[in-house]
Amino acid sequence: MHAKRLTSQLVTSLFGLGLLAAAPAAKAELIGTQQLTQQATQQTAGAQGTTLTQDRQTLDQFLARADVQHKLEQMGLSHDITQQRLAALSNQEVASLAGKIDAMPAAGDLGFQEMVIILLVAILVVLAV
């Protein structure tokens, strides 16, 4: 019984040493606050740039639809005026409108009311600027 216990402890110790030997060495360095904030700013700026580009593409695709163009023309807005107003939108306004477009039901379930509301919001946002 004593030999069994000794063998068990020996196997456990060897197993533990094997795990310690296989563990990678950790390397730690001190970094300054400025370096940390600079990296965070660069990552955030890159992510915002991608999101802004995607949001603008969403708006462009929405306004390129024939039914949307037809409604805008009925409201007296030409394609050129619409593009000018779209270019004048701030980043927050673009993100807001793109979010509303993305939240719309898919498969052509967009009703007249929803489309008019989105178009009116877009026009009001541009006029408020």
Side-chain angles (χ1 to χ4, degrees):
M1 197 132 130
H2 183 64
K4 189 174 181 181
R5 183 174 179 202
L6 184 62
T7 304
S8 174
Q9 287 178 347
L10 180 64
V11 169
T12 304
S13 297
L14 288 175
F15 184 69
L17 286 174
L19 287 176
L20 286 175
K27 181 180 177 184
E29 295 179 8
L30 293 176
I31 61 170
T33 305
Q34 184 178 15
Q35 183 181 2
L36 183 63
T37 55
Q38 186 178 26
Q39 288 174 352
T41 303
Q42 289 172 352
Q43 290 174 350
T44 304
Q48 286 176 348
T50 303
T51 304
L52 180 61
T53 303
Q54 290 171 347
D55 289 345
R56 288 211 179 263
Q57 287 175 351
T58 300
L59 289 177
D60 289 338
Q61 290 170 356
F62 180 75
L63 292 173
R65 292 176 35 184
D67 57 337
V68 174
Q69 288 180 0
H70 181 70
K71 292 291 181 190
L72 286 170
E73 288 172 5
Q74 284 180 346
M75 297 171 72
L77 296 171
S78 69
H79 181 70
D80 293 334
I81 292 173
T82 305
Q83 290 301 321
Q84 289 172 356
R85 290 184 179 181
L86 183 63
L89 292 175
S90 71
N91 295 347
Q92 290 176 333
E93 294 164 342
V94 169
S96 174
L97 285 174
K100 289 178 183 177
I101 290 171
D102 289 338
M104 282 192 241
D109 196 22
L110 179 63
F112 176 75
Q113 239 178 351
E114 289 87 3
M115 192 176 328
V116 169
I117 289 172
I118 288 176
L119 292 174
L120 287 176
V121 168
I123 292 168
L124 289 174
V125 165
V126 170
L127 292 177
V129 175

